[in-house]
PDB file of all heavy atoms in Angstrom:
ATOM      1  N   VAL B 154     118.530 124.082 325.829  1.00  0.00           N
ATOM      2  CA  VAL B 154     119.903 123.704 325.346  1.00  0.00           C
ATOM      3  C   VAL B 154     120.885 124.834 325.700  1.00  0.00           C
ATOM      4  O   VAL B 154     120.639 125.951 325.310  1.00  0.00           O
ATOM      5  CB  VAL B 154     119.977 123.520 323.838  1.00  0.00           C
ATOM      6  CG1 VAL B 154     121.361 123.116 323.440  1.00  0.00           C
ATOM      7  CG2 VAL B 154     118.915 122.318 323.473  1.00  0.00           C
ATOM      8  N   ASP B 155     121.785 124.485 326.514  1.00  0.00           N
ATOM      9  CA  ASP B 155     122.600 125.525 327.126  1.00  0.00           C
ATOM     10  C   ASP B 155     123.678 125.983 326.148  1.00  0.00           C
ATOM     11  O   ASP B 155     124.841 125.835 326.283  1.00  0.00           O
ATOM     12  CB  ASP B 155     123.331 124.951 328.414  1.00  0.00           C
ATOM     13  CG  ASP B 155     123.547 126.050 329.414  1.00  0.00           C
ATOM     14  OD1 ASP B 155     123.176 127.274 329.294  1.00  0.00           O
ATOM     15  OD2 ASP B 155     124.191 125.682 330.464  1.00  0.00           O
ATOM     16  N   ARG B 156     123.286 126.726 325.100  1.00  0.00           N
ATOM     17  CA  ARG B 156     124.054 127.060 323.916  1.00  0.00           C
ATOM     18  C   ARG B 156     125.186 128.094 324.408  1.00  0.00           C
ATOM     19  O   ARG B 156     126.229 128.144 323.591  1.00  0.00           O
ATOM     20  CB  ARG B 156     123.211 127.698 322.879  1.00  0.00           C
ATOM     21  CG  ARG B 156     122.245 126.712 322.318  1.00  0.00           C
ATOM     22  CD  ARG B 156     121.701 127.164 321.040  1.00  0.00           C
ATOM     23  NE  ARG B 156     120.539 126.322 320.567  1.00  0.00           N
ATOM     24  CZ  ARG B 156     120.537 125.115 320.123  1.00  0.00           C
ATOM     25  NH1 ARG B 156     121.710 124.562 319.934  1.00  0.00           N
ATOM     26  NH2 ARG B 156     119.480 124.497 319.781  1.00  0.00           N
ATOM     27  N   LEU B 157     125.033 128.857 325.343  1.00  0.00           N
ATOM     28  CA  LEU B 157     126.008 129.766 325.785  1.00  0.00           C
ATOM     29  C   LEU B 157     127.161 129.151 326.522  1.00  0.00           C
ATOM     30  O   LEU B 157     128.212 129.845 326.835  1.00  0.00           O
ATOM     31  CB  LEU B 157     125.459 130.963 326.572  1.00  0.00           C
ATOM     32  CG  LEU B 157     124.355 131.810 325.832  1.00  0.00           C
ATOM     33  CD1 LEU B 157     123.855 132.863 326.806  1.00  0.00           C
ATOM     34  CD2 LEU B 157     125.030 132.529 324.723  1.00  0.00           C
ATOM     35  N   VAL B 158     126.922 127.820 326.861  1.00  0.00           N
ATOM     36  CA  VAL B 158     128.070 127.188 327.670  1.00  0.00           C
ATOM     37  C   VAL B 158     128.553 126.025 326.920  1.00  0.00           C
ATOM     38  O   VAL B 158     129.641 125.977 326.422  1.00  0.00           O
ATOM     39  CB  VAL B 158     127.451 126.796 329.023  1.00  0.00           C
ATOM     40  CG1 VAL B 158     128.540 126.031 329.947  1.00  0.00           C
ATOM     41  CG2 VAL B 158     126.910 128.041 329.839  1.00  0.00           C
ATOM     42  N   ASP B 159     127.725 124.904 326.896  1.00  0.00           N
ATOM     43  CA  ASP B 159     128.354 123.660 326.301  1.00  0.00           C
ATOM     44  C   ASP B 159     127.250 122.812 325.556  1.00  0.00           C
ATOM     45  O   ASP B 159     127.353 121.731 325.395  1.00  0.00           O
ATOM     46  CB  ASP B 159     129.006 122.840 327.378  1.00  0.00           C
ATOM     47  CG  ASP B 159     127.961 122.421 328.445  1.00  0.00           C
ATOM     48  OD1 ASP B 159     126.794 122.838 328.354  1.00  0.00           O
ATOM     49  OD2 ASP B 159     128.389 121.816 329.513  1.00  0.00           O
ATOM     50  N   ASN B 160     126.141 123.456 325.210  1.00  0.00           N
ATOM     51  CA  ASN B 160     125.036 122.721 324.519  1.00  0.00           C
ATOM     52  C   ASN B 160     124.394 121.552 325.279  1.00  0.00           C
ATOM     53  O   ASN B 160     123.715 120.730 324.730  1.00  0.00           O
ATOM     54  CB  ASN B 160     125.458 122.186 323.228  1.00  0.00           C
ATOM     55  CG  ASN B 160     125.741 123.341 322.163  1.00  0.00           C
ATOM     56  OD1 ASN B 160     125.137 124.416 322.274  1.00  0.00           O
ATOM     57  ND2 ASN B 160     126.601 123.121 321.297  1.00  0.00           N
ATOM     58  N   ALA B 161     124.638 121.546 326.639  1.00  0.00           N
ATOM     59  CA  ALA B 161     124.020 120.503 327.414  1.00  0.00           C
ATOM     60  C   ALA B 161     122.550 120.789 327.442  1.00  0.00           C
ATOM     61  O   ALA B 161     122.058 121.849 327.450  1.00  0.00           O
ATOM     62  CB  ALA B 161     124.663 120.528 328.877  1.00  0.00           C
ATOM     63  N   SER B 162     121.662 119.690 327.582  1.00  0.00           N
ATOM     64  CA  SER B 162     120.271 119.791 327.596  1.00  0.00           C
ATOM     65  C   SER B 162     119.824 119.861 329.124  1.00  0.00           C
ATOM     66  O   SER B 162     120.232 118.971 329.844  1.00  0.00           O
ATOM     67  CB  SER B 162     119.516 118.631 326.922  1.00  0.00           C
ATOM     68  OG  SER B 162     119.785 118.675 325.512  1.00  0.00           O
ATOM     69  N   LEU B 163     119.193 120.881 329.490  1.00  0.00           N
ATOM     70  CA  LEU B 163     118.724 120.999 330.889  1.00  0.00           C
ATOM     71  C   LEU B 163     117.196 120.986 330.921  1.00  0.00           C
ATOM     72  O   LEU B 163     116.511 121.606 330.059  1.00  0.00           O
ATOM     73  CB  LEU B 163     119.183 122.460 331.414  1.00  0.00           C
ATOM     74  CG  LEU B 163     120.688 122.709 331.343  1.00  0.00           C
ATOM     75  CD1 LEU B 163     121.006 124.168 331.800  1.00  0.00           C
ATOM     76  CD2 LEU B 163     121.552 121.732 332.137  1.00  0.00           C
ATOM     77  N   ALA B 164     116.683 120.303 331.972  1.00  0.00           N
ATOM     78  CA  ALA B 164     115.253 120.092 332.127  1.00  0.00           C
ATOM     79  C   ALA B 164     114.739 121.166 332.956  1.00  0.00           C
ATOM     80  O   ALA B 164     114.947 121.268 334.126  1.00  0.00           O
ATOM     81  CB  ALA B 164     114.985 118.712 332.721  1.00  0.00           C
ATOM     82  N   VAL B 165     114.103 122.152 332.247  1.00  0.00           N
ATOM     83  CA  VAL B 165     113.472 123.329 333.001  1.00  0.00           C
ATOM     84  C   VAL B 165     112.099 122.991 333.386  1.00  0.00           C
ATOM     85  O   VAL B 165     111.275 122.637 332.430  1.00  0.00           O
ATOM     86  CB  VAL B 165     113.573 124.623 332.170  1.00  0.00           C
ATOM     87  CG1 VAL B 165     112.980 125.786 332.963  1.00  0.00           C
ATOM     88  CG2 VAL B 165     115.016 124.912 331.750  1.00  0.00           C
ATOM     89  N   LYS B 166     111.677 123.088 334.619  1.00  0.00           N
ATOM     90  CA  LYS B 166     110.334 122.697 335.053  1.00  0.00           C
ATOM     91  C   LYS B 166     109.577 123.937 335.443  1.00  0.00           C
ATOM     92  O   LYS B 166     110.040 124.955 335.815  1.00  0.00           O
ATOM     93  CB  LYS B 166     110.452 121.823 336.314  1.00  0.00           C
ATOM     94  CG  LYS B 166     111.302 120.583 336.089  1.00  0.00           C
ATOM     95  CD  LYS B 166     110.585 119.547 335.333  1.00  0.00           C
ATOM     96  CE  LYS B 166     111.426 118.229 335.090  1.00  0.00           C
ATOM     97  NZ  LYS B 166     111.427 117.427 336.221  1.00  0.00           N
ATOM     98  N   ALA B 167     108.238 123.758 335.303  1.00  0.00           N
ATOM     99  CA  ALA B 167     107.292 124.703 335.717  1.00  0.00           C
ATOM    100  C   ALA B 167     106.991 124.581 337.172  1.00  0.00           C
ATOM    101  O   ALA B 167     107.577 123.591 337.790  1.00  0.00           O
ATOM    102  CB  ALA B 167     105.924 124.635 334.952  1.00  0.00           C
TER     103      ALA B 167
END
Side-chain angles (χ1 to χ4, degrees):
Chain B
V154 179
D155 212 3
R156 298 194 191 284
L157 295 176
V158 180
D159 59 5
N160 289 331
S162 292
L163 305 177
V165 181
K166 302 286 179 79

